[in-house]
Amino acid sequence: MQKYENGSANGRQTARTLTPSLPSVTVHFKSTFPPSSAFLPVAGERPRMDLSATPSRSKSKAKSSPAKPIAASAEVQMDLCTPSKATPKRKSKSVTSPPPTTPATPSTVRRSRRLLDTPTKANPEAPVKATPTPTSKGKRAAPSPKTPAQREPKRQRRQPKKRSYYRKVVYDGGEFEVGDDVYVKRREDAESDAEDPEAEECRVCFRSGGGVMVECDMCLGGFHLRCVRPPLRRVPEGDWSCQYCEAERAGKAMERPKPPEGKRIVRTAKEKLLASDLWAARIESLWREPDGTFWAKVRWYIIPEETAAGRQTHNLRRELYRTNDLGDIEMETILRHCFVMNPKEFRDANDAGDDVFYCEYEYDIHWHNFKRLADIDDEPETKEDPSDEPYNANTDYISDTDEDSEYDEEEEPTSCSLARRNQTHELAANSRKGRIYGLQKIGIRKIPEHVRCHQKTELEKAKATLLLATLPKSLPCRDKEMEEISTFVKDAICNDQCLGRCLYIHGVPGTGKTMSVLAVMRRLRSEFDSGTLRPYCFIEINGLKLASPENIYKVIYEQLSGHRVGWKKALHYLTEHFSGGTRIGKQANQPIVLLIDELDLLLTRNQSVLYNILDWPTKPNSNLVVIGIANTMDLPEKLLPRISSRMGIQRLCFGPYNFRQLQEIIISRLKGINAFEEQAIEFASRKVAAMSGDARRALEICRRAAEFADYRTKQSGQASLTCNRGDGVVCMGDIEAAIQEVFQAPHIQVMKNCPKFGKVILVAMVHELYKSGLGEVMFDKLASTVFSWCHVNRELLPGYDTLLKICCKLGESKIILCEEGSKHKLQKLQLNYPSDDVTFALKESPDLPWLSKYL
Amino acid sequence: MAAAAAESVASQAQAVLRARLCDPSFVHSALRSSPDTNYSKLKYLVASSVSEACNNSVLLLGPRGCGKAAVVDMVLDDLKKEHPDAISLIRLNGMLHSDDNCAMKEIARQLCLEHQLSFSKMASSDDNTEFMIDMLRECGLAHKTILFVLEEFDLFAQGKQRLLYSLLDAMQSLTSQAVVIGVSCRLDADQLLEKRVRSRFSHRKLLFVPSSMDDIQRLVEHLLMLAKDSGLPAKYITDYNARLTVSFVQYDPSLYYACNIFRAVSDMNMESGFLSMENFVIALSSMQRQPKMDSLQDLSILELYILVCMYRLEDKEQSSYNFTSIMKEYRSIQEAYKTSDKYASTVCFRAFEHLLDRELISFADSKGRNQALEYRPVKLLISSRELAQSLKLNTTCPAVLQKLLDRERYM
């Protein structure tokens, strides 16, 4: 439901104030498009982008030099006019899927010369002011301004002095910043482009202004509250559609009011956009050509009608797709701002004006498929109420990191699509280089309906929050440990001469070891971002994910320097680095925090890997901090003394959770969702605490129980279509069933359902074992027992080989342990489960009543 | 003329039945109907993970031949129909890909194949791991679920379990959307997992038990009853079904094993055109052969002598014996009874080797490979009961041999 003030010219545009941050144009980065290799996500990269490293300032001098040969500027123009690679694709697409509204060659029009009738408001060149300011700390959008000279593609290196890039431009009375969304003119000859109505007209009285208007959710027409029949007092909650749409939906014919004679309906920019008479785009970069014109590189948005799949039924009226198609346009063609929001912002933006659009997916124009925008689902729902959460710090840094990742996602396709132009041959997708090109292809042809218009029930919500993958809103019960880790790391970072810093963290699986460390590191990064902490470098390695222990050198070196070498060479470089020789990487003097998960996997025969890694921190000026995580408490004691003396000093134990803590964890996750009975949670957490204290286990049991309940309601819903209230709640029975599934071995049930002679063999084994008192029995002996029993009880005698086959089958499912079948009568057999279980399972077997007397 | 017509109808019916038995989708379609089977549980589990975009891992446990793989296949078929391009399937088998690196490579290869990407054999296993994690993420963003079906799951749970760890650890992120289905016949397969892998595993287990007698009978009826619209004469169908129900009434459970049925159908009496009890019995006896007995049947007299000698030696509590001691026993028998079956030592040795080849006897241990065959200790692999039975059945067997065996037992 969109509602907006009409009549006042500011009703639309000031509802959302322009981002107030930077004062004006910041002459900023030169290397806008480094080749993709510079963008490989290296964990250590971010901290190295420290504040001092802004060589772009020196570049701004070059800009001021007035030497601009005319030939060169002509070259620039030419360059801009050569169609991008995307252009022919786009054309071909408009052939294959003919949306009637699309003009024949949009790309040429799009890059059109300046339109004659635009400057209605002000003269175009006048209000441009460009005052360079130093880049500030918020500039994550600056892709590594470290070595522009090396990383620039050729084309730009040829005329590095011509263009000057800006972060923000005031143009035509509007402020345009990198990252803003704008309307772009599409057609020169469109008559209606001349006027850009500030206010929409009512569809009934055809006057603009005069009171609040309400928007129909189906036809997007605006109506005065008083013009609607029956008149409305307030803007209604939820969906609302006008009486005409209602009538159409009901199948009745109802004539829409015609505009009075001589008056055309003036379309707003939004309508033009949705009728594909305008483009929407997102500004990726802004620059000024040598001849003084302002240009922008934009990423186009696309309306659903123009995609290959067409408008799908679940598409919202105001939905747009972001494409991976970039284009250079002149600032002239930019009309004004619009606001493309992600689903969350869109939900909250109730009266943000007319120019609000919704964007959840990215559309690949080469492969015609869709992909979710990565930043949307990663976003934990913490931003809503940070105030009443006990862990403010946590929520803050979580949202912070997500903005970071958002940035990474956005930049990656840019570099890819640029790189693809140069890439003529196809690389294998699973090789290192080919990955970023190949994975572009992944996407779905049509967005499945079920993900969009699915109302989640309480149980489904509960299942979603109980997922292990869901980042919890808070991490309860681990404050003390996190505090300790945080002081340890901070000490190490702040102290210049940190020596022998090594922390060993141990605890059983599922007690939040890795999560706590990562949470601390995120918090520290937000501290670094706010400028209270020195820059540092964080490397995270999982021992189980290394192909061999020695590979750890390779990985560390790669993260530090970005290059790949063999592990021996890497070891050499690293040793040199830490012992104060030649340093690796750019920010050589930053402290390095090395997190090694599953440390025990790095054990080799002579333990040299662990020794090397733990020896580095003791070197002077190494600036290295090692945090090791493993399960066993006494790992240092098991190692060679020279290693344990280096590692075992500072330890931190993560004990298993007790039932109160588990309960708190589950309840904090399920906050606001009414799907679990109170005792059910307590029962589950008590059970798990008694067994292992593993939080993952507890969450999984609850999720499984929710699944049981959901399954039950769905089955009963199918059967009777009446869903009573009590069904939608997880009760004790569900938890019980889930625990049964997790903890109970299934062998008793299988024994009960064994074939007949399988049962006889099992009982005979128990009998023999009892008689002999030994742990194992020979097949020969067993067979003679079975034969004699069968003889006595007049059972059909099985063949010797049949018995052997059944034995092997039982052995296969590990009810009994047996040697391979080729040993025939010499085979030794052993029960894998206690004999009481066999007795219990086979006490009453309906098909063999005589069996129980031998037990 | 009438007989020929009846025969053609019968062969037609036989063809119908054979086609049914060979079509797994028809055989398993009986599983689909009832609500509380493993099929519907698994389907709910996988379908809800597809539609709700979550990660899951499930183990299917049960002895062989209980329909684990059949259920998985059925569920996958259904889901492929429901969500045509939202599912990509990776199949691994523990027998083939128990090595982590090669399993990773296979995953990468199948992912590439599925998404029409080019695949390089040269990529290192680190590359493949990264590729898999990236693919999980990208597919998650595109609302595609990757289903990993790991057959012989227990064989993946060996060594460091790096594959399972990275697979299950990759599923701990929100963007990924994957389901791991492990299929194993070992009931304790989840106990094999290392503790940190087990902690990441989501502990859904579906137990497949051997089907009960009623189930089997229902299945057989489902398979063998001819439907009204199968294109055969109506009279024949009613006759046939009536006959079949009669034979069901007096059934013996072991008669209806799946391959047994096919055999029985193939043996169908063409003249009468009906399945009778004898068909099943004959088929069963041909299925349940006793390979040991069969090979005992066609041994030569000398070989039987050697076996009996070995048996006598074992009966004398002589724990370790070799060819020379067997020969000594053989000579003593020959001296005592003066039979005509006296052969030279080399001939006996040939017979001894033949027995070794047929695995009726074997060496006692694997030590002393370079020792001469005569001196390596051997063991008898058949029981006295079998030996006695085969001697009884063998018509050419000299009476003295049976006596030798019997005397040992009864005196």
Short mmCIF file of all heavy atoms in Angstrom, two decimals, chain A residues 361 371-372 409 427 429-430 435 441 544-546 598 601 696 700 703 707 710 741 802 812 824, chain B residues 44-45 56 64 116 118-119 128 134 137-138 140-141 143 162 165 169 196 199 204-205 292:
data_model
loop_
_atom_site.label_atom_id
_atom_site.label_comp_id
_atom_site.label_asym_id
_atom_site.label_seq_id
_atom_site.Cartn_x
_atom_site.Cartn_y
_atom_site.Cartn_z
N TYR A 361 15.48 -9.11 -7.22
CA TYR A 361 16.23 -10.05 -8.03
C TYR A 361 17.14 -9.34 -9.01
O TYR A 361 16.89 -8.21 -9.40
CB TYR A 361 15.29 -10.95 -8.83
CG TYR A 361 14.61 -11.95 -7.96
CD1 TYR A 361 13.44 -11.63 -7.32
CD2 TYR A 361 15.16 -13.19 -7.76
CE1 TYR A 361 12.82 -12.53 -6.49
CE2 TYR A 361 14.55 -14.11 -6.94
CZ TYR A 361 13.38 -13.79 -6.32
OH TYR A 361 12.79 -14.70 -5.51
N LYS A 371 18.34 -14.15 -10.30
CA LYS A 371 19.06 -14.57 -9.12
C LYS A 371 18.68 -13.59 -8.02
O LYS A 371 18.52 -12.40 -8.28
CB LYS A 371 20.54 -14.48 -9.42
CG LYS A 371 21.38 -15.34 -8.57
CD LYS A 371 22.82 -15.12 -8.90
CE LYS A 371 23.26 -15.89 -10.13
NZ LYS A 371 24.69 -15.79 -10.34
N ARG A 372 18.58 -14.10 -6.83
CA ARG A 372 18.30 -13.20 -5.72
C ARG A 372 19.47 -12.25 -5.53
O ARG A 372 20.61 -12.63 -5.74
CB ARG A 372 18.12 -14.01 -4.44
CG ARG A 372 16.71 -14.13 -4.01
CD ARG A 372 16.66 -14.79 -2.68
NE ARG A 372 17.41 -16.05 -2.66
CZ ARG A 372 17.77 -16.63 -1.54
NH1 ARG A 372 17.46 -16.11 -0.39
NH2 ARG A 372 18.42 -17.78 -1.55
N GLU A 409 29.24 -8.06 -3.16
CA GLU A 409 28.39 -8.65 -4.18
C GLU A 409 28.19 -7.71 -5.34
O GLU A 409 28.15 -8.09 -6.48
CB GLU A 409 27.02 -8.98 -3.59
CG GLU A 409 27.04 -10.00 -2.50
CD GLU A 409 28.10 -11.02 -2.71
OE1 GLU A 409 28.15 -11.58 -3.81
OE2 GLU A 409 28.89 -11.25 -1.78
N LEU A 427 36.76 -20.61 -19.90
CA LEU A 427 37.58 -21.34 -18.95
C LEU A 427 36.72 -22.35 -18.21
O LEU A 427 35.51 -22.16 -18.09
CB LEU A 427 38.17 -20.37 -17.94
CG LEU A 427 39.34 -19.55 -18.43
CD1 LEU A 427 39.54 -18.35 -17.55
CD2 LEU A 427 40.59 -20.39 -18.46
N ALA A 429 34.89 -24.07 -15.37
CA ALA A 429 34.26 -23.37 -14.25
C ALA A 429 34.86 -23.78 -12.92
O ALA A 429 34.87 -23.01 -11.99
CB ALA A 429 32.77 -23.64 -14.25
N ASN A 430 35.34 -25.00 -12.83
CA ASN A 430 35.83 -25.40 -11.51
C ASN A 430 37.30 -25.08 -11.32
O ASN A 430 37.84 -25.34 -10.27
CB ASN A 430 35.57 -26.88 -11.27
CG ASN A 430 36.30 -27.74 -12.25
OD1 ASN A 430 36.60 -27.30 -13.35
ND2 ASN A 430 36.59 -28.95 -11.87
N ARG A 435 36.08 -19.58 -12.39
CA ARG A 435 34.90 -19.63 -11.55
C ARG A 435 34.02 -18.40 -11.69
O ARG A 435 32.83 -18.49 -11.90
CB ARG A 435 35.33 -19.80 -10.10
CG ARG A 435 34.22 -20.14 -9.20
CD ARG A 435 34.75 -20.61 -7.89
NE ARG A 435 35.74 -21.64 -8.07
CZ ARG A 435 36.91 -21.65 -7.47
NH1 ARG A 435 37.23 -20.69 -6.66
NH2 ARG A 435 37.75 -22.61 -7.68
N LYS A 441 26.36 -17.89 -15.00
CA LYS A 441 25.32 -18.59 -15.73
C LYS A 441 24.22 -19.11 -14.82
O LYS A 441 23.11 -19.36 -15.27
CB LYS A 441 25.97 -19.79 -16.41
CG LYS A 441 25.74 -19.88 -17.87
CD LYS A 441 26.58 -21.06 -18.32
CE LYS A 441 26.22 -21.50 -19.69
NZ LYS A 441 27.08 -22.61 -20.10
N LEU A 544 40.12 -28.89 8.67
CA LEU A 544 39.51 -30.00 7.95
C LEU A 544 39.30 -29.67 6.49
O LEU A 544 39.02 -30.54 5.70
CB LEU A 544 38.17 -30.36 8.59
CG LEU A 544 38.12 -31.69 9.32
CD1 LEU A 544 36.77 -31.92 9.87
CD2 LEU A 544 38.53 -32.82 8.42
N LYS A 545 39.39 -28.42 6.15
CA LYS A 545 39.16 -28.08 4.75
C LYS A 545 40.44 -28.02 3.95
O LYS A 545 40.42 -27.76 2.76
CB LYS A 545 38.40 -26.76 4.65
CG LYS A 545 36.98 -26.92 5.12
CD LYS A 545 36.22 -25.66 4.99
CE LYS A 545 34.83 -25.88 5.58
NZ LYS A 545 34.19 -24.63 5.87
N LEU A 546 41.54 -28.22 4.62
CA LEU A 546 42.81 -28.25 3.89
C LEU A 546 43.01 -29.66 3.34
O LEU A 546 42.71 -30.64 4.01
CB LEU A 546 43.96 -27.92 4.83
CG LEU A 546 43.94 -26.54 5.45
CD1 LEU A 546 44.99 -26.45 6.53
CD2 LEU A 546 44.21 -25.51 4.39
N GLU A 598 39.70 -26.43 14.10
CA GLU A 598 40.08 -27.85 14.04
C GLU A 598 41.60 -27.99 13.99
O GLU A 598 42.17 -28.53 13.05
CB GLU A 598 39.44 -28.55 12.83
CG GLU A 598 38.01 -28.20 12.54
CD GLU A 598 37.04 -28.70 13.59
OE1 GLU A 598 37.48 -29.35 14.53
OE2 GLU A 598 35.85 -28.41 13.46
N LEU A 601 43.78 -31.27 13.35
CA LEU A 601 43.95 -31.85 12.03
C LEU A 601 45.29 -31.46 11.41
O LEU A 601 45.66 -31.99 10.37
CB LEU A 601 42.82 -31.37 11.11
CG LEU A 601 41.63 -32.29 10.92
CD1 LEU A 601 42.06 -33.53 10.19
CD2 LEU A 601 41.01 -32.67 12.23
N ARG A 696 23.82 -27.35 18.77
CA ARG A 696 23.31 -27.73 17.45
C ARG A 696 22.28 -28.84 17.57
O ARG A 696 21.24 -28.82 16.93
CB ARG A 696 24.46 -28.23 16.58
CG ARG A 696 25.38 -27.16 16.11
CD ARG A 696 26.17 -27.63 14.91
NE ARG A 696 27.31 -26.78 14.70
CZ ARG A 696 28.55 -27.11 15.00
NH1 ARG A 696 28.80 -28.30 15.49
NH2 ARG A 696 29.53 -26.28 14.80
N GLU A 700 18.44 -28.75 16.45
CA GLU A 700 17.97 -29.69 15.44
C GLU A 700 16.78 -30.48 15.96
O GLU A 700 15.84 -30.76 15.22
CB GLU A 700 19.09 -30.66 15.05
CG GLU A 700 20.03 -30.09 14.00
CD GLU A 700 19.33 -29.76 12.70
OE1 GLU A 700 18.27 -30.34 12.43
OE2 GLU A 700 19.85 -28.91 11.98
N ARG A 703 13.84 -28.34 15.72
CA ARG A 703 13.39 -28.15 14.34
C ARG A 703 12.71 -29.41 13.84
O ARG A 703 11.69 -29.35 13.14
CB ARG A 703 14.58 -27.82 13.46
CG ARG A 703 14.19 -27.39 12.07
CD ARG A 703 15.28 -26.59 11.42
NE ARG A 703 16.37 -27.41 10.97
CZ ARG A 703 16.50 -27.85 9.72
NH1 ARG A 703 15.60 -27.51 8.82
NH2 ARG A 703 17.51 -28.59 9.37
N GLU A 707 9.01 -29.93 12.50
CA GLU A 707 8.70 -30.60 11.25
C GLU A 707 7.63 -31.65 11.46
O GLU A 707 6.71 -31.77 10.64
CB GLU A 707 9.96 -31.28 10.70
CG GLU A 707 10.52 -30.60 9.50
CD GLU A 707 11.90 -31.13 9.18
OE1 GLU A 707 12.15 -32.34 9.34
OE2 GLU A 707 12.74 -30.32 8.77
N ASP A 710 4.41 -29.93 11.80
CA ASP A 710 3.99 -29.39 10.52
C ASP A 710 3.45 -30.49 9.62
O ASP A 710 2.42 -30.34 8.96
CB ASP A 710 5.20 -28.71 9.87
CG ASP A 710 4.79 -27.77 8.76
OD1 ASP A 710 3.68 -27.22 8.86
OD2 ASP A 710 5.56 -27.60 7.82
N GLU A 741 14.18 -40.31 17.51
CA GLU A 741 14.84 -40.50 16.22
C GLU A 741 16.33 -40.25 16.32
O GLU A 741 17.13 -40.92 15.69
CB GLU A 741 14.21 -39.56 15.19
CG GLU A 741 14.58 -39.93 13.80
CD GLU A 741 14.00 -39.00 12.79
OE1 GLU A 741 14.61 -37.96 12.53
OE2 GLU A 741 12.93 -39.29 12.28
N THR A 802 22.04 -71.40 2.59
CA THR A 802 21.04 -70.38 2.88
C THR A 802 21.32 -69.71 4.21
O THR A 802 21.24 -68.49 4.34
CB THR A 802 19.63 -71.00 2.91
OG1 THR A 802 19.53 -71.92 1.85
CG2 THR A 802 18.58 -69.95 2.79
N GLU A 812 25.91 -57.54 7.19
CA GLU A 812 25.97 -56.34 6.37
C GLU A 812 25.33 -55.16 7.09
O GLU A 812 25.81 -54.04 7.02
CB GLU A 812 25.26 -56.60 5.06
CG GLU A 812 25.83 -55.83 3.94
CD GLU A 812 25.33 -56.37 2.63
OE1 GLU A 812 24.16 -56.81 2.60
OE2 GLU A 812 26.07 -56.33 1.66
N HIS A 824 33.22 -69.69 4.98
CA HIS A 824 32.24 -70.75 5.20
C HIS A 824 32.14 -71.16 6.66
O HIS A 824 31.89 -70.34 7.51
CB HIS A 824 32.56 -71.95 4.30
CG HIS A 824 32.39 -71.63 2.86
ND1 HIS A 824 31.17 -71.47 2.29
CD2 HIS A 824 33.30 -71.41 1.88
CE1 HIS A 824 31.32 -71.18 1.03
NE2 HIS A 824 32.60 -71.13 0.75
N TYR B 44 7.96 -35.28 2.02
CA TYR B 44 7.65 -34.06 2.77
C TYR B 44 8.93 -33.34 3.17
O TYR B 44 9.06 -32.12 3.01
CB TYR B 44 6.83 -34.41 4.02
CG TYR B 44 6.82 -33.31 5.03
CD1 TYR B 44 6.00 -32.20 4.85
CD2 TYR B 44 7.64 -33.35 6.15
CE1 TYR B 44 6.00 -31.18 5.76
CE2 TYR B 44 7.64 -32.32 7.06
CZ TYR B 44 6.82 -31.24 6.86
OH TYR B 44 6.83 -30.22 7.76
N LEU B 45 9.88 -34.12 3.62
CA LEU B 45 11.14 -33.53 4.11
C LEU B 45 11.86 -32.79 2.99
O LEU B 45 12.25 -31.63 3.14
CB LEU B 45 12.02 -34.66 4.63
CG LEU B 45 13.11 -34.29 5.60
CD1 LEU B 45 12.47 -34.08 6.95
CD2 LEU B 45 14.11 -35.41 5.69
N ASN B 56 18.99 -29.48 4.83
CA ASN B 56 18.62 -30.64 5.61
C ASN B 56 19.58 -31.76 5.30
O ASN B 56 20.18 -31.80 4.24
CB ASN B 56 17.20 -31.09 5.27
CG ASN B 56 16.25 -30.75 6.38
OD1 ASN B 56 16.64 -30.74 7.54
ND2 ASN B 56 15.02 -30.47 6.03
N ARG B 64 19.50 -54.44 3.07
CA ARG B 64 19.40 -54.37 1.61
C ARG B 64 18.06 -54.93 1.14
O ARG B 64 17.50 -55.82 1.77
CB ARG B 64 20.52 -55.17 0.98
CG ARG B 64 21.84 -54.51 1.17
CD ARG B 64 22.90 -55.14 0.31
NE ARG B 64 24.21 -54.68 0.75
CZ ARG B 64 24.72 -53.51 0.43
NH1 ARG B 64 24.05 -52.68 -0.34
NH2 ARG B 64 25.91 -53.16 0.87
N GLN B 116 25.65 -26.89 -17.40
CA GLN B 116 26.29 -26.62 -18.69
C GLN B 116 27.51 -25.73 -18.55
O GLN B 116 27.70 -24.77 -19.29
CB GLN B 116 25.31 -25.99 -19.67
CG GLN B 116 24.24 -26.93 -20.17
CD GLN B 116 22.95 -26.72 -19.44
OE1 GLN B 116 22.61 -25.59 -19.16
NE2 GLN B 116 22.26 -27.77 -19.13
N SER B 118 31.78 -25.65 -18.30
CA SER B 118 32.85 -26.53 -18.75
C SER B 118 33.66 -26.97 -17.54
O SER B 118 33.85 -26.21 -16.60
CB SER B 118 33.74 -25.81 -19.75
OG SER B 118 34.26 -24.66 -19.15
N PHE B 119 34.12 -28.18 -17.61
CA PHE B 119 34.74 -28.81 -16.45
C PHE B 119 36.19 -29.14 -16.78
O PHE B 119 36.50 -29.54 -17.89
CB PHE B 119 33.98 -30.09 -16.12
CG PHE B 119 34.65 -30.98 -15.13
CD1 PHE B 119 34.70 -30.62 -13.80
CD2 PHE B 119 35.25 -32.15 -15.53
CE1 PHE B 119 35.32 -31.43 -12.88
CE2 PHE B 119 35.87 -32.96 -14.62
CZ PHE B 119 35.90 -32.60 -13.29
N ASN B 128 38.17 -27.53 -6.35
CA ASN B 128 36.86 -28.16 -6.46
C ASN B 128 36.01 -27.87 -5.24
O ASN B 128 34.81 -27.65 -5.34
CB ASN B 128 37.02 -29.66 -6.65
CG ASN B 128 37.43 -30.00 -8.05
OD1 ASN B 128 37.13 -29.24 -8.98
ND2 ASN B 128 38.12 -31.10 -8.22
N ASP B 134 30.99 -22.21 -3.76
CA ASP B 134 30.46 -21.10 -4.56
C ASP B 134 29.17 -21.49 -5.26
O ASP B 134 28.23 -20.70 -5.34
CB ASP B 134 31.49 -20.68 -5.61
CG ASP B 134 32.61 -19.90 -4.99
OD1 ASP B 134 32.56 -19.68 -3.77
OD2 ASP B 134 33.54 -19.51 -5.70
N ARG B 137 26.24 -21.46 -3.04
CA ARG B 137 25.78 -20.11 -2.77
C ARG B 137 24.98 -19.56 -3.96
O ARG B 137 23.88 -19.05 -3.81
CB ARG B 137 26.99 -19.24 -2.51
CG ARG B 137 26.64 -17.90 -2.01
CD ARG B 137 27.91 -17.13 -1.66
NE ARG B 137 27.58 -15.75 -1.75
CZ ARG B 137 27.55 -15.09 -2.88
NH1 ARG B 137 27.88 -15.68 -3.99
NH2 ARG B 137 27.19 -13.85 -2.90
N GLU B 138 25.55 -19.73 -5.14
CA GLU B 138 24.90 -19.18 -6.33
C GLU B 138 23.55 -19.86 -6.54
O GLU B 138 22.57 -19.20 -6.88
CB GLU B 138 25.77 -19.38 -7.56
CG GLU B 138 27.08 -18.67 -7.53
CD GLU B 138 26.94 -17.18 -7.76
OE1 GLU B 138 26.12 -16.80 -8.61
OE2 GLU B 138 27.64 -16.41 -7.09
N GLY B 140 21.75 -21.22 -4.32
CA GLY B 140 20.83 -20.75 -3.29
C GLY B 140 20.22 -19.43 -3.67
O GLY B 140 19.03 -19.20 -3.47
N LEU B 141 21.03 -18.57 -4.25
CA LEU B 141 20.51 -17.27 -4.66
C LEU B 141 19.51 -17.41 -5.78
O LEU B 141 18.62 -16.59 -5.94
CB LEU B 141 21.66 -16.37 -5.11
CG LEU B 141 22.59 -15.91 -4.00
CD1 LEU B 141 23.67 -15.04 -4.57
CD2 LEU B 141 21.82 -15.12 -2.97
N HIS B 143 17.39 -19.75 -6.06
CA HIS B 143 16.32 -20.62 -5.59
C HIS B 143 16.45 -22.03 -6.13
O HIS B 143 15.47 -22.69 -6.43
CB HIS B 143 14.95 -20.09 -5.99
CG HIS B 143 14.60 -18.79 -5.37
ND1 HIS B 143 14.50 -18.63 -4.02
CD2 HIS B 143 14.38 -17.59 -5.91
CE1 HIS B 143 14.19 -17.38 -3.77
NE2 HIS B 143 14.13 -16.72 -4.89
N ARG B 162 36.54 -35.73 5.38
CA ARG B 162 36.66 -34.34 4.95
C ARG B 162 35.50 -33.94 4.04
O ARG B 162 34.98 -32.83 4.12
CB ARG B 162 37.98 -34.17 4.21
CG ARG B 162 38.29 -32.74 3.89
CD ARG B 162 39.69 -32.60 3.35
NE ARG B 162 40.67 -32.66 4.40
CZ ARG B 162 41.73 -33.45 4.37
NH1 ARG B 162 41.90 -34.24 3.35
NH2 ARG B 162 42.60 -33.44 5.35
N TYR B 165 32.41 -33.37 6.10
CA TYR B 165 32.57 -32.16 6.90
C TYR B 165 32.36 -30.93 6.04
O TYR B 165 31.60 -30.03 6.39
CB TYR B 165 33.95 -32.13 7.54
CG TYR B 165 34.18 -30.96 8.44
CD1 TYR B 165 33.79 -30.99 9.76
CD2 TYR B 165 34.79 -29.80 7.97
CE1 TYR B 165 33.99 -29.92 10.59
CE2 TYR B 165 35.00 -28.72 8.79
CZ TYR B 165 34.59 -28.79 10.09
OH TYR B 165 34.79 -27.71 10.92
N ASP B 169 29.31 -28.53 6.52
CA ASP B 169 29.67 -27.21 7.00
C ASP B 169 29.22 -26.14 6.02
O ASP B 169 28.81 -25.05 6.42
CB ASP B 169 31.18 -27.14 7.21
CG ASP B 169 31.55 -26.07 8.20
OD1 ASP B 169 30.96 -26.07 9.29
OD2 ASP B 169 32.41 -25.24 7.89
N ARG B 196 32.58 -34.07 15.35
CA ARG B 196 32.25 -32.73 14.83
C ARG B 196 31.41 -32.80 13.57
O ARG B 196 30.65 -31.89 13.27
CB ARG B 196 33.50 -31.92 14.61
CG ARG B 196 34.57 -32.64 13.88
CD ARG B 196 35.88 -31.91 14.01
NE ARG B 196 36.97 -32.86 13.92
CZ ARG B 196 38.16 -32.67 14.42
NH1 ARG B 196 38.42 -31.57 15.04
NH2 ARG B 196 39.10 -33.58 14.28
N SER B 199 27.89 -33.55 14.86
CA SER B 199 27.25 -32.37 15.41
C SER B 199 26.64 -31.50 14.32
O SER B 199 25.65 -30.81 14.54
CB SER B 199 28.28 -31.59 16.20
OG SER B 199 27.85 -30.30 16.46
N ARG B 204 18.22 -36.60 10.90
CA ARG B 204 16.96 -37.17 10.48
C ARG B 204 17.25 -38.57 10.00
O ARG B 204 18.14 -38.76 9.18
CB ARG B 204 16.35 -36.34 9.37
CG ARG B 204 15.63 -35.14 9.86
CD ARG B 204 15.96 -33.94 9.02
NE ARG B 204 15.37 -32.75 9.56
CZ ARG B 204 15.78 -32.16 10.66
NH1 ARG B 204 16.78 -32.64 11.34
NH2 ARG B 204 15.21 -31.06 11.09
N LYS B 205 16.50 -39.51 10.54
CA LYS B 205 16.74 -40.88 10.14
C LYS B 205 15.42 -41.49 9.72
O LYS B 205 14.41 -41.33 10.40
CB LYS B 205 17.31 -41.69 11.31
CG LYS B 205 18.79 -41.50 11.48
CD LYS B 205 19.32 -42.43 12.54
CE LYS B 205 19.30 -41.77 13.88
NZ LYS B 205 19.84 -42.62 14.94
N LYS B 292 27.23 -75.49 -2.57
CA LYS B 292 28.17 -76.46 -2.00
C LYS B 292 27.75 -77.88 -2.35
O LYS B 292 28.53 -78.69 -2.83
CB LYS B 292 28.19 -76.31 -0.48
CG LYS B 292 29.15 -75.29 -0.01
CD LYS B 292 30.56 -75.79 -0.16
CE LYS B 292 31.52 -74.66 -0.43
NZ LYS B 292 31.35 -73.58 0.52
#
